């Protein structure tokens, strides 16, 4: 995994530097690091590891909380400094086509984990070691992690990077994503205090 290109990127949240990471410079879907302006990477850095969700991030789907988490993380990182890692792992790393098939199974009563398993995939096939590689390339040694996901915490704790704090990133549920969030809490063990 190497830096392939970087540029300054003004956004509605603020000024960022964007860096594309890939093994191949011709990769059309590289992982991305968004570094907020004036972030000191030598200090403890606020980090959000965000897996791609086309439906939530781009089209603001109410089936999940991904788009709202992305917005909240970008706002937090702009205001407090930090880095957002955007990993190209759509649909818990099963891809958009299979994700849409999983949606159809969810409409028939399966939860998000059961739907992925029914399609022949793990409940969650994402690889957060990619995030650790990028953080190491950026020279980051300690982080505050914006997450509710215990697996992301484990990946950081098992790496060379020191985890200083976990910063919760809870989004208020809506009727369309309540069952999805319950599955995150009950099946995946996410820290969601606003879901009963």
């Amino acid at each position: 995994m190497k830096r392939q290109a970087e540029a300054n990127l003004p956004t509605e949240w603020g000024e960022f530097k964007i860096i594309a990471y890939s093994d191949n410079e011709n990769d059309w879907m590289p992982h991305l690091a968004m570094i907020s302006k004036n972030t000191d990477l030598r200090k403890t850095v606020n980090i959000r590891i965000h897996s791609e969700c086309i439906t939530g991030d781009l089209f603001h789907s109410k089936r999940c909380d991904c788009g709202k988490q992305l917005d909240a993380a970008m706002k937090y990182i702009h205001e407090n400094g930090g880095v957002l890692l955007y990993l190209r792992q759509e649909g818990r790393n099963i891809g958009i086509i299979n994700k849409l098939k999983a949606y159809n199974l969810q409409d028939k009563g399966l939860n998000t984990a059961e739907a992925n398993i029914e399609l022949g995939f793990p409940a969650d096939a994402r690889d957060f070691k990619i995030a650790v590689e990028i953080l190491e390339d950026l020279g980051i040694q300690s982080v505050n992690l914006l997450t509710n996901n215990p697996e992301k915490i484990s990946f950081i704790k098992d790496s060379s990077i020191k985890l200083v704090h976990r910063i919760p990133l809870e989004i208020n549920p809506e009727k369309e994503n309540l069952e999805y969030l319950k599955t995150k809490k009950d099946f995946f063990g996410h820290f969601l205090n606003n879901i009963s």
Side-chain angles (χ1 to χ4, degrees), residues 67-109:
K68 288 190 174 182
Q69 279 195 320
L70 177 61
D71 288 347
M74 290 292 284
K75 182 176 186 291
Y76 184 94
I77 287 169
H78 164 64
E79 291 173 353
N80 300 281
V83 179
L84 182 131
L85 302 181
Y86 195 83
L87 305 184
R88 309 310 284 274
Q89 301 189 131
E90 176 68 47
R92 295 203 170 94
N93 213 16
I94 66 172
I96 187 64
I97 292 172
N98 287 311
K99 179 179 176 179
L100 298 182
K101 292 177 181 178
Y103 277 177
N104 289 324
L105 292 172
Q106 290 168 37
D107 288 342
K108 294 177 181 175

Side-chain angles (χ1 to χ4, degrees), residues 48 69 146-150 166-170 189-192:
R48 167 68 181 165
Q69 279 195 320
L146 282 79
T147 192
N148 307 320
N149 186 341
R166 178 183 80 87
I167 301 169
L169 193 61
E170 294 191 53
H190 285 210
F191 307 115
L192 295 171

Side-chain angles (χ1 to χ4, degrees), residues 25-135:
E25 67 179 343
N26 297 315
D27 186 349
W28 285 28
M29 295 183 62
H31 303 291
L32 304 170
M34 299 280 292
I35 305 171
S36 179
K37 189 177 180 180
N38 299 323
T39 298
D40 187 344
L41 300 179
R42 296 166 299 178
K43 296 181 178 177
T44 298
V45 182
N46 299 311
I47 299 294
R48 167 68 181 165
I49 302 169
H50 188 91
S51 295
E52 177 181 43
C53 176
I54 291 172
T55 49
D57 299 342
L58 263 115
F59 302 117
H60 302 172
S61 166
K62 292 187 175 183
R63 295 185 80 124
C64 63
D65 61 341
C66 304
K68 288 190 174 182
Q69 279 195 320
L70 177 61
D71 288 347
M74 290 292 284
K75 182 176 186 291
Y76 184 94
I77 287 169
H78 164 64
E79 291 173 353
N80 300 281
V83 179
L84 182 131
L85 302 181
Y86 195 83
L87 305 184
R88 309 310 284 274
Q89 301 189 131
E90 176 68 47
R92 295 203 170 94
N93 213 16
I94 66 172
I96 187 64
I97 292 172
N98 287 311
K99 179 179 176 179
L100 298 182
K101 292 177 181 178
Y103 277 177
N104 289 324
L105 292 172
Q106 290 168 37
D107 288 342
K108 294 177 181 175
L110 274 63
N111 67 36
T112 182
E114 294 165 342
N116 282 16
I117 292 166
E118 179 70 18
L119 290 170
F121 299 102
D124 190 340
R126 292 177 293 176
D127 180 4
F128 298 118
K129 286 183 286 191
I130 298 163
V132 172
E133 282 184 52
I134 295 171
L135 294 174

Side-chain angles (χ1 to χ4, degrees), residues 139-150:
I140 294 171
Q141 297 183 356
S142 68
V143 301
N144 297 321
L145 191 61
L146 282 79
T147 192
N148 307 320
N149 186 341

